[in-house]
Amino acid sequence: VLEAAAMGCVVVSADVGGVREVFDGMSIEKEGGVVYAEVGELEAGVERGVKRWESVTDEERERWAKEVREVYTWDNVAKEVERVYVKVVAEEEGRDVSFFERCEEWCEDRRFVACVAAVIFAGAVRAVMVVIDW
């Protein structure tokens, strides 16, 4: 759904999981660029989406796409992931510690496994590091 919105498409999605959270408060959702369908009624949702697509201007599509691309940058997503990580660690251990401080602790104890994978996103290759505490 995110990729479709970033390209200026009207998004049709089953109303499940965290899909609503992806576009919460964004103009694409407020202005009807996201069509939610109940599970089992996706065909009707697609019909509503097609009708909405026909009524949307190119300017609206580009504005929606620009907003989505600005909100979901690699930097913004990484900052949000770290914010959640710090919150969870603080709740579990009663202390604030950043992801990178935690990695340093793991390295000192040699209790980690690191895996690096290349990921293609929007035509560019990005490196992702996954650290697993064991």
Side-chain angles (χ1 to χ4, degrees):
V1 294
L2 190 57
E3 292 82 356
M7 296 305 296
C9 297
V10 170
V11 176
V12 177
S13 173
D15 194 5
V16 296
V19 176
R20 286 188 183 268
E21 293 175 12
V22 171
F23 302 112
D24 187 40
M26 299 179 78
S27 60
I28 188 171
E29 184 176 53
K30 292 177 183 175
E31 298 169 12
V34 181
V35 176
Y36 297 106
E38 295 299 319
V39 175
E41 298 179 7
L42 203 51
E43 184 177 341
V46 170
E47 289 175 7
R48 290 194 318 273
V50 169
K51 287 179 184 173
R52 182 64 180 125
W53 175 261
E54 292 169 347
S55 69
V56 176
T57 66
D58 289 341
E59 291 79 21
E60 285 176 299
R61 286 187 196 104
E62 184 51 41
R63 185 170 41 79
W64 294 344
K66 183 180 178 199
E67 180 182 24
V68 169
R69 289 191 304 261
E70 288 173 353
V71 169
Y72 288 102
T73 65
W74 279 97
D75 286 342
N76 289 346
V77 171
K79 287 174 187 172
E80 180 63 11
V81 167
E82 182 165 17
R83 185 191 69 75
V84 171
Y85 177 86
V86 168
K87 180 181 175 187
V88 169
V89 170
E91 289 173 3
E92 288 289 317
E93 298 182 3
R95 65 185 177 121
D96 288 340
V97 60
S98 76
F99 176 76
F100 295 105
E101 290 170 332
R102 179 61 130 198
C103 287
E104 287 175 359
E105 290 175 10
W106 287 334
C107 289
E108 289 171 4
D109 293 343
R110 302 199 185 284
R111 298 181 312 149
F112 74 98
V113 176
C115 176
V116 178
V119 176
I120 297 175
F121 180 78
V125 175
R126 309 285 182 168
V128 178
M129 183 176 87
V130 178
V131 178
I132 304 166
D133 184 16
W134 61 302

PDB file of all heavy atoms in Angstrom, residues 1-3 5 11 17-26 28-29 34 36 68 71-72:
ATOM      1  N   VAL A   1       0.821  -1.197   0.000  1.00  0.00           N
ATOM      2  CA  VAL A   1       0.000   0.000   0.000  1.00  0.00           C
ATOM      3  C   VAL A   1       0.861   1.255   0.000  1.00  0.00           C
ATOM      4  O   VAL A   1       0.531   2.236  -0.655  1.00  0.00           O
ATOM      5  CB  VAL A   1      -1.003   0.016   1.187  1.00  0.00           C
ATOM      6  CG1 VAL A   1      -2.018  -1.083   1.061  1.00  0.00           C
ATOM      7  CG2 VAL A   1      -0.343  -0.006   2.514  1.00  0.00           C
ATOM      8  N   LEU A   2       1.944   1.215   0.723  1.00  0.00           N
ATOM      9  CA  LEU A   2       2.820   2.377   0.803  1.00  0.00           C
ATOM     10  C   LEU A   2       3.444   2.697  -0.554  1.00  0.00           C
ATOM     11  O   LEU A   2       3.502   3.857  -0.973  1.00  0.00           O
ATOM     12  CB  LEU A   2       3.906   2.127   1.849  1.00  0.00           C
ATOM     13  CG  LEU A   2       4.775   3.294   2.241  1.00  0.00           C
ATOM     14  CD1 LEU A   2       3.950   4.456   2.756  1.00  0.00           C
ATOM     15  CD2 LEU A   2       5.783   2.862   3.287  1.00  0.00           C
ATOM     16  N   GLU A   3       3.893   1.669  -1.243  1.00  0.00           N
ATOM     17  CA  GLU A   3       4.509   1.871  -2.552  1.00  0.00           C
ATOM     18  C   GLU A   3       3.516   2.444  -3.547  1.00  0.00           C
ATOM     19  O   GLU A   3       3.846   3.335  -4.331  1.00  0.00           O
ATOM     20  CB  GLU A   3       5.095   0.555  -3.079  1.00  0.00           C
ATOM     21  CG  GLU A   3       6.295   0.059  -2.299  1.00  0.00           C
ATOM     22  CD  GLU A   3       5.928  -0.709  -1.027  1.00  0.00           C
ATOM     23  OE1 GLU A   3       4.740  -0.816  -0.685  1.00  0.00           O
ATOM     24  OE2 GLU A   3       6.856  -1.211  -0.361  1.00  0.00           O
ATOM     25  N   ALA A   5       0.854   4.281  -2.856  1.00  0.00           N
ATOM     26  CA  ALA A   5       0.592   5.675  -2.485  1.00  0.00           C
ATOM     27  C   ALA A   5       1.756   6.575  -2.878  1.00  0.00           C
ATOM     28  O   ALA A   5       1.556   7.709  -3.331  1.00  0.00           O
ATOM     29  CB  ALA A   5       0.330   5.769  -0.986  1.00  0.00           C
ATOM     30  N   VAL A  11      -5.292   4.012  -3.277  1.00  0.00           N
ATOM     31  CA  VAL A  11      -4.974   2.747  -2.621  1.00  0.00           C
ATOM     32  C   VAL A  11      -6.265   2.057  -2.198  1.00  0.00           C
ATOM     33  O   VAL A  11      -7.124   2.675  -1.586  1.00  0.00           O
ATOM     34  CB  VAL A  11      -4.088   2.985  -1.376  1.00  0.00           C
ATOM     35  CG1 VAL A  11      -3.843   1.686  -0.630  1.00  0.00           C
ATOM     36  CG2 VAL A  11      -2.777   3.639  -1.783  1.00  0.00           C
ATOM     37  N   GLY A  17      -4.999  -5.321  10.054  1.00  0.00           N
ATOM     38  CA  GLY A  17      -3.673  -4.999  10.558  1.00  0.00           C
ATOM     39  C   GLY A  17      -3.486  -3.527  10.827  1.00  0.00           C
ATOM     40  O   GLY A  17      -4.387  -2.844  11.284  1.00  0.00           O
ATOM     41  N   GLY A  18      -2.311  -3.031  10.492  1.00  0.00           N
ATOM     42  CA  GLY A  18      -1.973  -1.643  10.770  1.00  0.00           C
ATOM     43  C   GLY A  18      -2.057  -0.730   9.564  1.00  0.00           C
ATOM     44  O   GLY A  18      -1.428   0.328   9.546  1.00  0.00           O
ATOM     45  N   VAL A  19      -2.835  -1.116   8.552  1.00  0.00           N
ATOM     46  CA  VAL A  19      -2.904  -0.311   7.327  1.00  0.00           C
ATOM     47  C   VAL A  19      -3.374   1.115   7.626  1.00  0.00           C
ATOM     48  O   VAL A  19      -2.813   2.077   7.107  1.00  0.00           O
ATOM     49  CB  VAL A  19      -3.802  -0.972   6.261  1.00  0.00           C
ATOM     50  CG1 VAL A  19      -3.939  -0.093   5.036  1.00  0.00           C
ATOM     51  CG2 VAL A  19      -3.238  -2.331   5.874  1.00  0.00           C
ATOM     52  N   ARG A  20      -4.364   1.263   8.469  1.00  0.00           N
ATOM     53  CA  ARG A  20      -4.848   2.615   8.793  1.00  0.00           C
ATOM     54  C   ARG A  20      -3.760   3.462   9.438  1.00  0.00           C
ATOM     55  O   ARG A  20      -3.694   4.665   9.222  1.00  0.00           O
ATOM     56  CB  ARG A  20      -6.076   2.558   9.692  1.00  0.00           C
ATOM     57  CG  ARG A  20      -7.333   2.126   8.956  1.00  0.00           C
ATOM     58  CD  ARG A  20      -8.571   2.277   9.839  1.00  0.00           C
ATOM     59  NE  ARG A  20      -9.740   1.808   9.153  1.00  0.00           N
ATOM     60  CZ  ARG A  20     -10.551   2.590   8.418  1.00  0.00           C
ATOM     61  NH1 ARG A  20     -10.292   3.867   8.315  1.00  0.00           N
ATOM     62  NH2 ARG A  20     -11.603   2.077   7.820  1.00  0.00           N
ATOM     63  N   GLU A  21      -2.888   2.839  10.226  1.00  0.00           N
ATOM     64  CA  GLU A  21      -1.809   3.583  10.879  1.00  0.00           C
ATOM     65  C   GLU A  21      -0.808   4.150   9.874  1.00  0.00           C
ATOM     66  O   GLU A  21      -0.191   5.180  10.122  1.00  0.00           O
ATOM     67  CB  GLU A  21      -1.079   2.685  11.873  1.00  0.00           C
ATOM     68  CG  GLU A  21      -1.929   2.287  13.054  1.00  0.00           C
ATOM     69  CD  GLU A  21      -1.229   1.288  13.961  1.00  0.00           C
ATOM     70  OE1 GLU A  21      -0.006   1.079  13.812  1.00  0.00           O
ATOM     71  OE2 GLU A  21      -1.914   0.715  14.817  1.00  0.00           O
ATOM     72  N   VAL A  22      -0.632   3.488   8.750  1.00  0.00           N
ATOM     73  CA  VAL A  22       0.321   3.944   7.736  1.00  0.00           C
ATOM     74  C   VAL A  22      -0.042   5.336   7.232  1.00  0.00           C
ATOM     75  O   VAL A  22       0.826   6.185   7.043  1.00  0.00           O
ATOM     76  CB  VAL A  22       0.388   2.941   6.556  1.00  0.00           C
ATOM     77  CG1 VAL A  22       1.192   3.495   5.398  1.00  0.00           C
ATOM     78  CG2 VAL A  22       0.958   1.610   7.024  1.00  0.00           C
ATOM     79  N   PHE A  23      -1.332   5.587   7.025  1.00  0.00           N
ATOM     80  CA  PHE A  23      -1.766   6.850   6.446  1.00  0.00           C
ATOM     81  C   PHE A  23      -2.470   7.772   7.439  1.00  0.00           C
ATOM     82  O   PHE A  23      -3.024   8.790   7.053  1.00  0.00           O
ATOM     83  CB  PHE A  23      -2.707   6.584   5.267  1.00  0.00           C
ATOM     84  CG  PHE A  23      -2.083   5.744   4.192  1.00  0.00           C
ATOM     85  CD1 PHE A  23      -2.515   4.461   3.943  1.00  0.00           C
ATOM     86  CD2 PHE A  23      -1.032   6.240   3.438  1.00  0.00           C
ATOM     87  CE1 PHE A  23      -1.935   3.685   2.958  1.00  0.00           C
ATOM     88  CE2 PHE A  23      -0.440   5.477   2.449  1.00  0.00           C
ATOM     89  CZ  PHE A  23      -0.897   4.196   2.208  1.00  0.00           C
ATOM     90  N   ASP A  24      -2.423   7.434   8.718  1.00  0.00           N
ATOM     91  CA  ASP A  24      -3.124   8.205   9.739  1.00  0.00           C
ATOM     92  C   ASP A  24      -2.740   9.683   9.688  1.00  0.00           C
ATOM     93  O   ASP A  24      -1.574  10.041   9.796  1.00  0.00           O
ATOM     94  CB  ASP A  24      -2.824   7.635  11.126  1.00  0.00           C
ATOM     95  CG  ASP A  24      -3.661   8.295  12.203  1.00  0.00           C
ATOM     96  OD1 ASP A  24      -4.857   8.544  11.956  1.00  0.00           O
ATOM     97  OD2 ASP A  24      -3.119   8.564  13.291  1.00  0.00           O
ATOM     98  N   GLY A  25      -3.730  10.539   9.509  1.00  0.00           N
ATOM     99  CA  GLY A  25      -3.524  11.983   9.508  1.00  0.00           C
ATOM    100  C   GLY A  25      -3.001  12.557   8.209  1.00  0.00           C
ATOM    101  O   GLY A  25      -2.836  13.770   8.086  1.00  0.00           O
ATOM    102  N   MET A  26      -2.726  11.727   7.223  1.00  0.00           N
ATOM    103  CA  MET A  26      -2.180  12.217   5.957  1.00  0.00           C
ATOM    104  C   MET A  26      -3.302  12.642   5.013  1.00  0.00           C
ATOM    105  O   MET A  26      -4.415  12.136   5.068  1.00  0.00           O
ATOM    106  CB  MET A  26      -1.309  11.142   5.306  1.00  0.00           C
ATOM    107  CG  MET A  26      -0.124  10.748   6.165  1.00  0.00           C
ATOM    108  SD  MET A  26       0.886   9.462   5.423  1.00  0.00           S
ATOM    109  CE  MET A  26       1.777  10.444   4.237  1.00  0.00           C
ATOM    110  N   ILE A  28      -3.774  12.021   1.917  1.00  0.00           N
ATOM    111  CA  ILE A  28      -4.281  10.958   1.037  1.00  0.00           C
ATOM    112  C   ILE A  28      -5.460  10.233   1.688  1.00  0.00           C
ATOM    113  O   ILE A  28      -6.422   9.874   1.021  1.00  0.00           O
ATOM    114  CB  ILE A  28      -3.169   9.968   0.621  1.00  0.00           C
ATOM    115  CG1 ILE A  28      -3.694   8.996  -0.455  1.00  0.00           C
ATOM    116  CG2 ILE A  28      -2.610   9.219   1.807  1.00  0.00           C
ATOM    117  CD1 ILE A  28      -2.629   8.134  -1.092  1.00  0.00           C
ATOM    118  N   GLU A  29      -5.400  10.053   3.000  1.00  0.00           N
ATOM    119  CA  GLU A  29      -6.501   9.382   3.686  1.00  0.00           C
ATOM    120  C   GLU A  29      -7.663  10.345   3.911  1.00  0.00           C
ATOM    121  O   GLU A  29      -8.814  10.002   3.671  1.00  0.00           O
ATOM    122  CB  GLU A  29      -6.047   8.797   5.012  1.00  0.00           C
ATOM    123  CG  GLU A  29      -7.169   8.015   5.698  1.00  0.00           C
ATOM    124  CD  GLU A  29      -6.729   7.343   6.967  1.00  0.00           C
ATOM    125  OE1 GLU A  29      -6.175   8.021   7.847  1.00  0.00           O
ATOM    126  OE2 GLU A  29      -6.962   6.138   7.072  1.00  0.00           O
ATOM    127  N   VAL A  34      -7.433   6.723  -0.016  1.00  0.00           N
ATOM    128  CA  VAL A  34      -7.299   5.357   0.487  1.00  0.00           C
ATOM    129  C   VAL A  34      -8.706   4.813   0.682  1.00  0.00           C
ATOM    130  O   VAL A  34      -9.522   5.413   1.382  1.00  0.00           O
ATOM    131  CB  VAL A  34      -6.523   5.301   1.821  1.00  0.00           C
ATOM    132  CG1 VAL A  34      -6.394   3.861   2.301  1.00  0.00           C
ATOM    133  CG2 VAL A  34      -5.158   5.953   1.686  1.00  0.00           C
ATOM    134  N   TYR A  36     -10.818   1.736   2.050  1.00  0.00           N
ATOM    135  CA  TYR A  36     -10.754   0.538   2.889  1.00  0.00           C
ATOM    136  C   TYR A  36     -11.949  -0.353   2.586  1.00  0.00           C
ATOM    137  O   TYR A  36     -13.066   0.125   2.430  1.00  0.00           O
ATOM    138  CB  TYR A  36     -10.757   0.911   4.368  1.00  0.00           C
ATOM    139  CG  TYR A  36      -9.557   1.715   4.775  1.00  0.00           C
ATOM    140  CD1 TYR A  36      -9.658   3.070   5.027  1.00  0.00           C
ATOM    141  CD2 TYR A  36      -8.310   1.111   4.883  1.00  0.00           C
ATOM    142  CE1 TYR A  36      -8.542   3.820   5.395  1.00  0.00           C
ATOM    143  CE2 TYR A  36      -7.194   1.843   5.241  1.00  0.00           C
ATOM    144  CZ  TYR A  36      -7.317   3.192   5.495  1.00  0.00           C
ATOM    145  OH  TYR A  36      -6.214   3.929   5.851  1.00  0.00           O
ATOM    146  N   VAL A  68       3.610  11.279   1.028  1.00  0.00           N
ATOM    147  CA  VAL A  68       3.977   9.925   1.453  1.00  0.00           C
ATOM    148  C   VAL A  68       5.490   9.738   1.344  1.00  0.00           C
ATOM    149  O   VAL A  68       6.132   9.223   2.263  1.00  0.00           O
ATOM    150  CB  VAL A  68       3.229   8.858   0.620  1.00  0.00           C
ATOM    151  CG1 VAL A  68       3.795   7.467   0.871  1.00  0.00           C
ATOM    152  CG2 VAL A  68       1.737   8.895   0.938  1.00  0.00           C
ATOM    153  N   VAL A  71       7.232  11.626   4.219  1.00  0.00           N
ATOM    154  CA  VAL A  71       7.041  11.049   5.553  1.00  0.00           C
ATOM    155  C   VAL A  71       7.836   9.761   5.710  1.00  0.00           C
ATOM    156  O   VAL A  71       8.465   9.523   6.735  1.00  0.00           O
ATOM    157  CB  VAL A  71       5.537  10.799   5.834  1.00  0.00           C
ATOM    158  CG1 VAL A  71       5.351   9.955   7.079  1.00  0.00           C
ATOM    159  CG2 VAL A  71       4.806  12.131   5.970  1.00  0.00           C
ATOM    160  N   TYR A  72       7.827   8.906   4.689  1.00  0.00           N
ATOM    161  CA  TYR A  72       8.455   7.591   4.786  1.00  0.00           C
ATOM    162  C   TYR A  72       9.834   7.553   4.126  1.00  0.00           C
ATOM    163  O   TYR A  72      10.105   6.712   3.284  1.00  0.00           O
ATOM    164  CB  TYR A  72       7.527   6.519   4.214  1.00  0.00           C
ATOM    165  CG  TYR A  72       6.362   6.262   5.127  1.00  0.00           C
ATOM    166  CD1 TYR A  72       5.107   6.796   4.863  1.00  0.00           C
ATOM    167  CD2 TYR A  72       6.516   5.521   6.284  1.00  0.00           C
ATOM    168  CE1 TYR A  72       4.041   6.586   5.724  1.00  0.00           C
ATOM    169  CE2 TYR A  72       5.460   5.305   7.153  1.00  0.00           C
ATOM    170  CZ  TYR A  72       4.229   5.837   6.857  1.00  0.00           C
ATOM    171  OH  TYR A  72       3.173   5.625   7.711  1.00  0.00           O
TER     172      TYR A  72
END
